[in-house]
Amino acid sequence: MGQRDTHQSQPQPPASTPAGQVECRTLSLVKGKHHFCFRYEVGQEAKVLDALIELVNRRDVAFDWFDAAVLSHQLGQHLAKELKGFLPKKAA
């Protein structure tokens, strides 16, 4: 089976769901036999970017800057979706 790399940040006091649970997000990339999966808490995006850089610098993992760009784009999409919730709704 392929290699599975997972990153999950440490608990911090970010945004919570109505039930009081911390909201988590997932970034995923399948590259050949490798599956890279990053789970992180909302508010910990900077740590995810740091983890992507660390992974690029590892010589024993088939993960390059293009892969990091794909995952950082996914991260940006998550953030954009979240920010849209703060915008005022358009008048009908």
Side-chain angles (χ1 to χ4, degrees), residues 39-90:
R39 294 202 54 185
Y40 65 96
E41 295 174 356
V42 171
Q44 299 299 309
E45 292 80 7
K47 287 185 178 185
V48 174
L49 293 174
D50 289 341
L52 295 177
I53 293 168
E54 288 177 22
L55 202 53
V56 166
N57 291 326
R58 288 181 53 182
R59 301 285 183 221
D60 61 327
V61 179
F63 189 87
D64 57 27
W65 284 110
F66 182 80
D67 303 327
V70 169
L71 289 172
S72 64
H73 177 73
Q74 284 182 30
L75 183 69
Q77 289 178 320
H78 286 282
L79 287 170
K81 184 177 178 183
E82 191 173 326
L83 288 175
K84 284 182 183 179
F86 293 104
L87 295 175
K89 298 197 184 327
K90 293 182 181 179

